[in-house]
Amino acid sequence: MSVSEADILAAMSKVMDPELHVDLVKAGMVKDVRVTGDTVKLKIELTTPACPMKGKIQADSEAALKAVPGLKSFNIEWGAQVRSAGGAAPAGGLLPKVKNIILVGAGKGGVGKSTVALNLATALGQHGAKVGLLDADFYGPSVPLMTGLGDKKPVSPDGKSLDPLVAHGIKVMSIGFLVESDQALIWRGPMLHGALMQLVRDVNWGELDYLVLDLPPGTGDVALSLSQSIRAAGAVLVTTPQDVALADVVRAKQMFDKVHIPVLGIVENMSQFVCPNCSHVTPIFNHGGGRKAAEMFGIPFLGEVPLDLKVRESGDSGVPVVVGAKDSLEAKAFQDVARNVAGRVSAQSAKSMPLPVVQAR
């Protein structure tokens, strides 16, 4: 019995992407089908190299092909092409070469937002995506220290724009590179917003799959105006487990709802302390509050990151824990968060939902 391309496509149309809730053929993920007698070669192009459901998609695809009558062997090539969750950027819009902007925010400071943003960006880069990280927290720019870039300065090739610095495989920009480390920024909201827009607009980010923005803490006018001024794929909310932190998550969620930016989910940082000597688990700041908040809002829970000395040491040494301690529980937790965030962005791209855009002036 001969096998045709139509037989292969019919089989693959029964395989669903669990994140997108659409079959692989309809999603345009099945490419380059080549049938030779009773063998076939094809390519499956995932919507992100950090696809959290690749294992299931692979197992379902292999099962579907094995069920094709007359097909004796097959070879699947795997690839990935990140899609934009906000649609094509309009002419003259901010960041036209950046496919997805991910905002990392929190209703208060001190929850490890910058640590999550850095490890999220680095983990996405480790999966093969093109990633940038913008430290938009002017009140306490910590990214220069946490990336190990220290007092390095970006250069301007044309006197008008800046080239971002590079650390751990991702492009990085922060106001901390442009001011002295011991200089306090005493600026009002409009001045901060203008400076932030310059870092967004006047940096040569190039083509990126993801640009992660580490927002200032809270729901003040800087975070609000920045959220309204860019095309964002969505926001990641960072919290710690205790009730007082979760109350601030509610306000942050309400802020993003008001500006029509989807919340991709919640990350619970400093979730539990695992003793390095006896592995005893202690919920120092309580446990499970982030998951409960996600359930309350009806949004995804993106993962929990344990409280551990390695995370603090990695930030101080300039080497993210996903780089310096790849096999640790904390690194694996951040990798899980990165895969879940990438999956949620892919789901947003499938919706083709137009998001707010403010033209650059």
Side-chain angles (χ1 to χ4, degrees):
M1 179 183 293
S2 61
V3 180
S4 67
E5 180 179 341
D7 294 330
I8 301 301
L9 293 176
M12 297 305 294
S13 67
K14 298 176 182 178
V15 180
M16 301 293 291
D17 184 305
E19 284 282 343
L20 307 185
H21 303 293
V22 66
D23 71 76
L24 301 192
V25 176
K26 186 176 293 183
M29 296 166 64
V30 179
K31 310 277 187 180
D32 303 331
V33 178
R34 287 170 288 177
V35 179
T36 305
D38 55 8
T39 67
V40 65
K41 292 183 178 180
L42 71 155
K43 180 178 182 180
I44 297 179
E45 188 176 80
L46 303 172
T47 56
T48 172
C51 180
M53 305 303 295
K54 179 183 176 181
K56 178 169 177 52
I57 294 173
Q58 181 172 351
D60 291 349
S61 297
E62 291 175 353
L65 291 172
K66 288 177 181 178
V68 176
L71 184 64
K72 292 186 177 181
S73 65
F74 57 84
N75 180 271
I76 302 175
E77 177 188 353
W78 293 90
Q81 180 67 37
V82 177
R83 304 175 186 182
S84 172
L94 293 173
L95 301 171
K97 295 182 180 181
V98 176
K99 292 181 180 179
N100 299 290
I101 300 172
I102 301 171
L103 309 179
V104 179
K108 60 175 289 183
V111 298
K113 173 180 52 60
S114 295
T115 298
V116 171
L118 172 60
N119 282 278
L120 167 62
T122 307
L124 289 171
Q126 288 176 330
H127 282 289
K130 299 176 183 177
V131 184
L133 172 64
L134 173 56
D135 181 4
D137 186 356
F138 276 29
Y139 300 115
S142 54
V143 165
L145 172 65
M146 296 173 68
T147 55
L149 292 170
D151 56 0
K152 292 184 179 180
K153 304 295 183 185
V155 299
S156 176
D158 57 5
K160 298 178 181 179
S161 58
L162 294 172
D163 285 344
L165 299 177
V166 177
H168 311 297
I170 63 173
K171 297 179 179 180
V172 183
M173 180 54 65
S174 170
I175 189 63
F177 298 138
L178 307 178
V179 299
E180 297 300 325
S181 59
D182 58 353
Q183 179 181 342
L185 292 179
I186 308 174
W187 291 354
R188 295 186 183 274
M191 296 172 64
L192 288 172
H193 175 67
L196 282 172
M197 285 300 96
Q198 280 191 291
L199 288 185
V200 172
R201 180 183 58 237
D202 298 336
V203 172
N204 301 318
W205 291 108
E207 294 186 0
L208 294 179
D209 295 316
Y210 307 101
L211 175 61
V212 177
L213 263 66
D214 178 17
L215 292 178
T219 56
D221 59 343
V222 176
L224 182 62
S225 58
L226 179 62
S227 300
Q228 290 176 308
S229 300
I230 59 174
R231 183 199 69 205
V236 174
L237 300 183
V238 181
T239 186
T240 48
Q242 67 268 41
D243 292 341
V244 65
L246 294 173
D248 292 300
V249 170
V250 174
R251 289 186 281 271
K253 172 69 164 57
Q254 291 172 340
M255 180 192 75
F256 288 115
D257 286 345
K258 288 180 179 178
V259 295
H260 307 290
I261 291 178
V263 174
L264 301 173
I266 293 177
V267 176
E268 182 175 293
N269 195 27
M270 309 182 202
S271 182
Q272 296 185 94
F273 172 70
V274 181
C275 178
N277 299 314
C278 66
S279 299
H280 178 70
V281 176
T282 303
I284 294 177
F285 299 118
N286 206 342
H287 177 251
R291 188 182 296 275
K292 291 178 182 177
E295 292 174 353
M296 180 179 68
F297 290 128
I299 58 178
F301 180 64
L302 300 171
E304 55 187 41
V305 181
L307 175 66
D308 189 274
L309 184 62
K310 287 190 290 294
V311 178
R312 193 274 298 166
E313 291 175 336
S314 68
D316 290 345
S317 67
V319 181
V321 71
V322 296
V323 174
K326 292 182 179 181
D327 297 326
S328 66
L329 290 175
E330 297 72 31
K332 292 177 180 177
F334 280 124
Q335 290 286 358
D336 287 341
V337 168
R339 283 189 288 267
N340 289 334
V341 169
R344 294 308 305 156
V345 172
S346 294
Q348 285 298 125
S349 71
K351 294 179 181 179
S352 299
M353 182 175 64
L355 300 176
V357 174
V358 174
Q359 297 289 339
R361 295 184 179 180

